[in-house]
């Protein structure tokens, strides 16, 4: 599989490239960036380590690589200016993103290509990519809450003094303020999290708050996230490359599950070579379902603001999943159980 990374000269794009190089699964990594010298430098640095990892072709190139790419990843984005509102930043990033999408489309995507959106606001931009590229909706994926989920698990493991791989916990919804922790399915060492020694609701609240604010924390300390987001991206790319159909909390167009329609956000999603293979409507607590629906409403309002402020971004969105590769079981209807803590949020993305 050949992967092109637009924004490959930047922190996120180069860390994604390094994670893919260390993974050794994809055969080609092309870095594309408007800043040519940093892009060439990142590609050269990766190339220097190639003999220690895997037999991959690594290049700094341009949009001419797009027609050969099996997966096109977009990591390019603008940072917030002092005193700039969130919506102003979104509108500036939308302008940049639409330009990139037009260049990708003009270059000519493969019919079966997968597009992975990493740039923020990822859910809004994933919606625009689904709208604009002319691909089936199932072939456009946003990184969504994949990174938030990785952070959440690692912080829980640290607090409980467990190996990080022994924690299973998921965040769904928006990659942003309204993200939703799914406590009903959280486990530590195979036990329900609420039954694990040392666990308490207060600890859970503090760890979720820290996970939600982790992006801002890393930006304050080192200027931006890189390593964890690179590894999170690798999980998604490898699921596509290996057709593993792993269930991941990635963003895609949702039309039906949990009563949500016409918005991109993260729900449990089987990812394989065809992109979104299936969306799984797992049973949640009542509060979690309500919080997920509120998160969808927040995103819908933001999308409407973007479309109103930028007519260029408007257009018709394809159906949620034109013939998914796997005709899995029909979504499970949500059973409204008792208890739980699906909470709203307090804002900041990575």
């Amino acid at each position: 599989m050949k992967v092109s990374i637009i924004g490959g000269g930047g922190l996120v794009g180069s860390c994604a490239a390094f994670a893919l190089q260390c993974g050794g699964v994809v055969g080609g990594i092309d870095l594309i960036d408007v800043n040519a010298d940093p892009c060439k430098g990142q590609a050269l640095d990766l190339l220097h380590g190639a003999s220690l990892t895997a037999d991959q072709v690594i290049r700094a190139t341009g949009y001419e690589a797009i027609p050969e790419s099996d997966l096109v990843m977009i990591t390019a984005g603008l940072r917030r200016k002092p005193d700039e509102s969130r919506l102003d930043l979104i509108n500036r990033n939308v302008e940049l993103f639409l330009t990139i999408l037009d260049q990708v489309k003009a270059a000519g995507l493969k019919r079966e290509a997968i597009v992975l959106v990493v740039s923020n606001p990822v859910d809004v931009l994933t919606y625009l990519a689904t709208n604009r590229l002319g691909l089936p909706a199932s072939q456009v994926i946003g990184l969504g809450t994949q990174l938030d989920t990785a952070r959440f698990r690692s912080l829980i493991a640290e607090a409980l003094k467990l190996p990080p791989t022994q924690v299973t916990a998921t965040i769904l919804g928006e990659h942003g303020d309204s993200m939703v922790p799914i406590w009903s399915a959280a486990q530590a060492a195979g036990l329900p999290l609420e039954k694990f020694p040392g666990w308490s609701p207060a600890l859970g609240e503090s760890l979720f708050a820290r996970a939600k604010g982790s992006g801002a924390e890393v930006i304050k300390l080192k200027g931006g996230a890189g390593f964890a987001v690179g590894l999170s991206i690798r999980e998604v790319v490898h699921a596509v490359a290996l057709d593993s159909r792993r269930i991941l909390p990635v963003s895609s167009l949702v039309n039906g599950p949990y009563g949500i329609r016409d918005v991109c956000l993260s729900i449990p999603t089987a990812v394989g070579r065809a992109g979104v293979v299936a969306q799984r409507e797992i049973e949640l607590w009542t509060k979690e379902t309500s919080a997920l629906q509120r998160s969808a409403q927040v995103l819908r309002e933001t999308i409407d603001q973007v479309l109103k402020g930028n007519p260029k971004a408007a257009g018709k969105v394809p159906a949620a999943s034109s013939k998914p590769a796997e005709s899995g079981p029909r979504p499970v209807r949500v059973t409204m159980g008792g208890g739980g803590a699906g909470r709203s949020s307090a804002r900041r993305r990575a």
Side-chain angles (χ1 to χ4, degrees):
M1 169 178 270
K2 295 188 71 172
V3 176
S4 287
I5 303 175
I6 299 172
L11 177 61
V12 173
S14 59
C15 284
F18 183 60
L20 291 174
Q21 181 183 37
C22 292
V25 169
V26 303
I29 303 171
D30 287 332
L31 305 186
I32 302 169
D33 204 297
V34 66
N35 297 310
D37 284 348
C39 187
K40 289 176 183 175
Q42 298 289 12
L44 184 60
D45 199 7
L46 291 166
L47 180 65
H48 289 163
S51 64
L52 304 174
T53 52
D55 295 325
Q56 297 165 317
V57 177
I58 299 170
R59 308 182 298 176
T61 183
Y63 283 86
E64 64 270 15
I66 298 298
E68 308 167 4
S69 302
D70 301 297
L71 185 144
V72 176
M73 182 193 310
I74 305 174
T75 68
L78 302 170
R79 292 191 181 179
R80 195 165 181 162
K81 295 177 180 177
D83 302 322
E84 184 177 35
S85 74
R86 177 176 174 268
L87 187 59
D88 284 342
L89 175 63
I90 288 173
N91 285 331
R92 285 201 302 128
N93 265 329
V94 164
E95 286 289 344
L96 172 63
F97 191 73
L98 292 175
T99 300
I100 291 170
L101 292 182
D102 287 346
Q103 289 175 295
V104 167
K105 197 170 180 180
L109 284 161
K110 286 184 176 181
R111 284 184 59 189
E112 67 276 14
I114 305 300
V115 173
L116 175 60
V117 179
V118 178
S119 308
N120 278 318
V122 66
D123 302 295
V124 174
L125 299 186
T126 301
Y127 184 90
L128 296 182
T130 304
N131 183 352
R132 200 169 186 84
L133 287 175
L135 292 173
S138 58
Q139 290 173 223
V140 181
I141 303 172
L143 189 64
T145 55
Q146 174 79 4
L147 173 59
D148 304 300
T149 292
R151 288 168 169 163
F152 194 36
R153 292 174 179 178
S154 297
L155 291 172
I156 292 171
E158 181 185 45
L160 296 180
K161 298 180 172 53
L162 280 170
T165 55
Q166 286 203 296
V167 171
T168 302
T170 303
I171 290 175
L172 299 177
E174 178 196 14
H175 173 57
D177 297 9
S178 64
M179 63 178 71
V180 183
I182 306 302
W183 299 110
S184 57
Q187 293 186 333
L191 297 173
L193 191 55
E194 61 189 13
K195 297 184 182 298
F196 197 85
W199 184 258
S200 69
L203 176 61
E205 288 281 2
S206 67
L207 291 173
F208 173 58
R210 189 173 175 204
K212 190 163 54 179
S214 287
E217 186 178 2
V218 173
I219 289 169
K220 181 179 178 181
L221 292 170
K222 59 169 274 190
F227 302 132
V229 68
L231 291 170
S232 299
I233 290 166
R234 188 180 75 178
E235 289 291 292
V236 181
V237 174
H238 282 186
V240 174
L242 299 172
D243 195 24
S244 62
R245 306 187 179 206
R246 291 194 62 193
I247 296 179
L248 301 172
V250 293
S251 185
S252 62
L253 185 65
V254 178
N255 270 321
Y258 301 107
I260 295 168
R261 302 197 68 82
D262 196 30
V263 70
C264 289
L265 82 170
S266 294
I267 63 173
T269 303
V271 178
R273 185 59 190 86
V276 174
V277 174
Q279 293 172 331
R280 303 298 190 192
E281 188 173 346
I282 63 172
E283 182 179 327
L284 303 178
W285 285 335
T286 307
K287 289 183 180 181
E288 293 168 344
T289 302
S290 297
L292 190 57
Q293 291 168 343
R294 285 197 300 273
S295 186
Q297 182 60 36
V298 166
L299 281 166
R300 187 63 249 176
E301 289 170 2
T302 302
I303 289 167
D304 289 342
Q305 283 182 298
V306 167
L307 296 180
K308 183 179 178 181
N310 192 328
K312 186 180 170 186
K316 186 178 178 183
V317 178
S321 181
S322 87
K323 270 205 166 173
E326 174 189 283
S327 55
R330 296 179 69 180
V332 179
R333 193 69 335 228
V334 177
T335 302
M336 300 303 187
R343 290 164 280 270
S344 290
S345 333
R347 225 164 243 234
R348 183 52 206 158
R349 283 178 313 280

